[in-house]
Amino acid sequence: VKGKILGWDVGGANIKVACLGDDHKSDPAVVEQPFPLWREPESLSAALAKIAERVADARDVSRMAVTMTAELADCFATKREGVAFVLDAFRAAFPGIETWAYGVDGRFRSTDEARQQPLEVAAANWRASATLVARTCADALFLDVGSTTTDIIPIVAGSVTVQGTTDPARLLSGELVYTGALRTPVCAIVRSVPFEGRRCRVAAEHFAVAADVHLWLGQIQENDYTCETPDGRGRSRSEAGARIARVICADLEMLGPADITAIAEHVARAQVNQIKSGVRQVMRRLGPACPRVAVLAGQGTFLGRPAAEELGLNARDLAGEIGSAAARAAPAAAVAYLLSDFLFGAHV
Amino acid sequence: VKGKILGWDVGGANIKVACLGDDHKSDPAVVEQPFPLWREPESLSAALAKIAERVADARDVSRMAVTMTAELADCFATKREGVAFVLDAFRAAFPGIETWAYGVDGRFRSTDEARQQPLEVAAANWRASATLVARTCADALFLDVGSTTTDIIPIVAGSVTVQGTTDPARLLSGELVYTGALRTPVCAIVRSVPFEGRRCRVAAEHFAVAADVHLWLGQIQENDYTCETPDGRGRSRSEAGARIARVICADLEMLGPADITAIAEHVARAQVNQIKSGVRQVMRRLGPACPRVAVLAGQGTFLGRPAAEELGLNARDLAGEIGSAAARAAPAAAVAYLLSDFLFGAHV
């Protein structure tokens, strides 16, 4: 018996885990849990243990694969410090379980080795997902629009062919666009919005986030709004509308629903344009070798799809290939599959 | 004896008070206190009482003048709710003291009247300062670059001649530009920064603020950095540098001082350009009637001065006219002077 494998994607605001059953073949069980790491880093290890319980009995788990972006959280002075902290939390939470860290070079490392090479294991989740996608799509742009960020990863002739591997290099290359379906502050997306038929400057405050915009527009439902609300109030449509009004320092006594919709549509369009700018940059670099297919994943496929289609790409959903839960938590499922391959040989 | 007058400017993140002595003529005593209202609104009244103690014995205070922007804080669902809350806090803190609220129309109102007209007394602080400036400068653009926002208020032939009075209308007209010397998140100022000779996208996270940029560049000192740091760490130059590095998801093991300086200079320049865009819009509206003098106030005069000068305006410091403490807390000093005028007749 190979035993169950847990795949982890530990972000700064969300933790995702996927559990591969004993056969390592059937659809993984997936759990996503918001966890604002920067607020209480000391409780990470307890959180990991609790989340694991929701997908498997720890005694049945033989191995774990970890990818992370949590090292970027500003409770850590450096990525080195962040990587070590996360690996320590795994050791504390699961003392007996063999744990492997996935790297931006596509290699698994022991936790001791990973600790020595923090830049190799920091923010490698995109490579895990894209490597999984490459198994079934030899030529594709993998477009994963998450809660916070968007990864645009080219797969050419079966290989992940990126220009950047570190986060800064990926922000430069267009392979990482820091916009997402939920957590992105509206003031980081637009400088102005339509109001009274003109362009109105916005408040540089954490008054509303992308989740408010997409909830207002009906692209997500209240239970998809898994991040915190900026004002600590609820997730109803009218509460989201009040937050959107505050973006121009107004309130629901000053603005009507049509005003809010105009602002929300403008912000959603700006996010599609941000994603398009990254995709365009990647397409330009690849030239004629660029794939014509986009494989969409993440909570923000409703942003990724128009971005891809407006650039002439043929959009497909990853969910159709690996199931919708696994597609939303793609990196977690991917590292679990990849670790199984690494240890027992490819099985797909 | 007229008794002392306290002038208050209650913002969402800072409280400023100015105390006019018994003669209502000599320089006011001024205190500024950071107070993140949205975090603990219930302690506002205690905070007001404590701040007042630092400038005067409450028994010597005969009257108070209040202007506010705190009603915009997102702990209040509407401006109406926010205005009432702030006025209640004054009543609780200073039960015996006559209190007046200043309005965007330049009138003082009793607190009962103010409560009925929340949009009149919301965010009127710019009018108080500009009215004070108009006493000595009959033709000027008053340019107040605060910790969070910039007011651009034209004074023509001795009168404050604005296009907008509410915050949204002022954001539309260019008279309010939501950028400032301390609290503004870097991700709300720029979409990209220079890195390795190219333009690098930035993280849409609250990783660094304007204070980090201006501290790094030497425009402010550690004790000027009065707002909270985004990561809860200190205010040293290297801690500010680490926050700036995080804007492109990097750290001080990846970037050197020259990289940080290039990013910081780009952000500071973008702030000057934001202010210029507001000033230009106001100048365009006024046409030939536009004053050629800019009167600078606030903590961000180092941003306001280049903006004014590059547009051909003759820049002067308000500090030279009313003292530097009063110029930094201009609205608080102004409402105190204006209330004295209103009750006892103009004395300047």
Side-chain angles (χ1 to χ4, degrees):
Chain A
V1 181
K2 299 169 181 174
K4 290 186 165 120
I5 290 186
L6 293 190
W8 293 90
D9 180 19
V10 184
N14 289 288
I15 298 175
K16 298 170 186 169
V17 65
C19 178
L20 279 197
D22 289 313
D23 63 354
H24 294 197
K25 276 181 191 155
S26 42
D27 280 353
V30 173
V31 165
E32 275 188 68
Q33 173 76 45
F35 180 75
L37 177 73
W38 67 91
R39 193 164 308 140
E40 36 170 353
E42 66 288 352
S43 57
L44 174 60
S45 114
L48 293 173
K50 238 175 148 169
I51 294 168
E53 277 174 18
R54 293 171 58 191
V55 287
D57 185 322
R59 288 166 300 187
D60 300 335
V61 175
S62 61
R63 293 174 182 88
M64 300 197 302
V66 176
T67 181
M68 66 179 86
T69 52
E71 78 290 339
L72 179 63
D74 64 7
C75 47
F76 308 121
T78 59
K79 292 174 195 287
R80 184 180 302 278
E81 181 184 325
V83 166
F85 185 94
V86 171
L87 295 175
D88 285 344
F90 272 97
R91 183 171 300 176
F94 311 103
I97 303 181
E98 184 183 311
T99 303
W100 296 85
Y102 187 74
V104 291
D105 53 1
R107 280 215 302 123
F108 280 100
R109 285 166 173 77
S110 71
T111 53
D112 285 339
E113 198 189 341
R115 210 178 285 267
Q116 302 307 314
Q117 306 181 312
L119 289 188
E120 295 296 318
V121 297
N125 55 357
W126 54 271
R127 155 103 39 190
S129 312
T131 302
L132 185 71
V133 172
R135 290 178 170 184
T136 49
C137 308
D139 289 277
L141 285 185
F142 175 55
L143 191 47
D144 186 354
V145 185
S147 67
T148 308
T149 57
T150 295
D151 293 310
I152 301 163
I153 311 297
I155 299 161
V156 178
S159 295
V160 174
T161 55
V162 292
Q163 185 165 58
T165 55
T166 65
D167 275 347
R170 298 174 64 231
L171 286 166
L172 264 181
S173 70
E175 290 155 359
L176 172 59
V177 177
Y178 219 110
T179 203
L182 302 181
R183 286 186 58 247
T184 314
V186 169
C187 68
I189 301 169
V190 291
R191 291 279 163 275
S192 65
V193 292
F195 175 53
E196 296 189 344
R198 292 155 62 204
R199 307 268 286 181
C200 184
R201 289 169 180 79
V202 302
E205 300 273 9
H206 193 61
F207 281 157
V209 291
D212 294 310
V213 166
H214 302 306
L215 185 95
W216 180 268
L217 295 175
Q219 294 283 9
I220 65 169
Q221 305 306 312
E222 278 190 50
N223 59 352
D224 301 317
Y225 193 144
T226 53
C227 64
E228 295 177 340
T229 61
D231 56 3
R233 293 174 195 264
R235 293 167 172 80
S236 69
R237 187 157 187 263
S238 90
E239 286 165 304
R243 287 188 285 270
I244 294 169
R246 192 170 280 118
V247 163
I248 57 165
C249 302
D251 62 27
L252 292 185
E253 295 188 3
M254 300 173 81
L255 300 192
D259 298 316
I260 307 288
T261 299
I263 295 171
E265 284 177 346
H266 181 83
V267 174
R269 170 40 51 185
Q271 289 199 285
V272 171
N273 288 342
Q274 286 181 296
I275 296 169
K276 279 174 75 174
S277 113
V279 174
R280 210 182 281 115
Q281 190 179 342
V282 170
M283 291 175 79
R284 211 177 292 133
R285 171 171 70 80
L286 293 175
C290 184
R292 307 309 301 172
V293 170
V295 173
L296 306 175
Q299 295 157 295
T301 49
F302 59 87
L303 295 169
R305 180 176 299 280
E309 291 180 345
E310 290 171 22
L311 291 168
L313 297 168
N314 197 343
R316 278 163 52 185
D317 281 324
L318 182 59
E321 323 224 346
I322 64 169
S324 66
R328 278 168 66 103
V335 285
Y337 281 121
L338 295 174
L339 183 62
S340 170
D341 285 7
F342 171 61
L343 297 172
F344 304 105
H347 61 276
V348 186
Chain B
V1 182
K2 298 171 182 174
K4 289 184 165 125
I5 290 186
L6 294 191
W8 293 89
D9 179 18
V10 184
N14 289 287
I15 298 174
K16 298 170 186 170
V17 65
C19 178
L20 280 197
D22 289 313
D23 63 355
H24 295 197
K25 275 180 191 154
S26 41
D27 280 353
V30 172
V31 165
E32 276 187 70
Q33 173 76 47
F35 180 75
L37 177 73
W38 67 92
R39 193 163 309 140
E40 36 170 354
E42 66 289 352
S43 58
L44 174 60
S45 114
L48 292 172
K50 236 172 149 172
I51 294 167
E53 277 174 17
R54 293 171 58 191
V55 288
D57 185 322
R59 287 165 302 186
D60 300 334
V61 175
S62 62
R63 293 175 184 86
M64 301 196 303
V66 176
T67 182
M68 65 180 88
T69 51
E71 78 289 339
L72 179 63
D74 64 8
C75 47
F76 309 121
T78 60
K79 291 174 195 286
R80 184 180 301 278
E81 180 185 325
V83 166
F85 185 94
V86 171
L87 295 174
D88 286 344
F90 273 97
R91 182 170 301 175
F94 311 104
I97 303 181
E98 185 182 310
T99 302
W100 296 86
Y102 187 74
V104 291
D105 53 1
R107 280 214 302 123
F108 280 102
R109 286 167 172 76
S110 70
T111 52
D112 286 339
E113 199 189 341
R115 210 177 285 266
Q116 302 308 313
Q117 305 180 313
L119 289 188
E120 295 297 318
V121 298
N125 56 356
W126 54 272
R127 157 118 15 204
S129 313
T131 302
L132 185 72
V133 172
R135 288 178 170 182
T136 49
C137 308
D139 288 277
L141 285 186
F142 175 55
L143 191 47
D144 187 354
V145 185
S147 66
T148 308
T149 57
T150 295
D151 293 310
I152 301 163
I153 311 297
I155 300 162
V156 178
S159 294
V160 174
T161 54
V162 291
Q163 184 166 57
T165 55
T166 64
D167 276 347
R170 298 174 64 231
L171 286 167
L172 264 181
S173 70
E175 290 155 0
L176 172 58
V177 177
Y178 220 109
T179 203
L182 302 181
R183 287 186 58 247
T184 315
V186 169
C187 67
I189 301 169
V190 291
R191 290 279 164 275
S192 65
V193 292
F195 175 53
E196 297 190 343
R198 292 155 64 203
R199 307 268 286 182
C200 184
R201 290 169 179 80
V202 301
E205 300 274 9
H206 192 61
F207 281 157
V209 291
D212 293 311
V213 166
H214 303 306
L215 185 95
W216 180 267
L217 294 175
Q219 293 283 8
I220 65 169
Q221 306 305 314
E222 277 191 50
N223 60 353
D224 300 317
Y225 192 145
T226 53
C227 64
E228 295 176 341
T229 60
D231 56 2
R233 292 173 195 263
R235 293 168 172 79
S236 68
R237 187 157 188 265
S238 90
E239 286 165 304
R243 287 188 285 269
I244 295 169
R246 192 170 280 118
V247 163
I248 56 165
C249 303
D251 62 26
L252 292 184
E253 296 188 2
M254 300 173 81
L255 300 193
D259 298 316
I260 307 288
T261 299
I263 295 172
E265 285 177 345
H266 182 83
V267 174
R269 171 39 54 182
Q271 288 199 285
V272 171
N273 288 343
Q274 285 181 296
I275 296 169
K276 280 173 76 173
S277 114
V279 173
R280 209 182 281 114
Q281 191 179 343
V282 170
M283 291 175 79
R284 211 177 292 135
R285 173 172 69 81
L286 294 174
C290 184
R292 307 307 302 172
V293 170
V295 173
L296 306 175
Q299 295 156 294
T301 50
F302 59 87
L303 294 169
R305 180 176 300 280
E309 290 180 345
E310 290 170 23
L311 291 168
L313 297 169
N314 196 343
R316 279 163 52 186
D317 280 324
L318 181 61
E321 322 222 347
I322 65 169
S324 67
R328 276 169 67 103
V335 285
Y337 280 121
L338 295 174
L339 183 62
S340 170
D341 286 7
F342 171 61
L343 297 172
F344 304 106
H347 61 276
V348 187

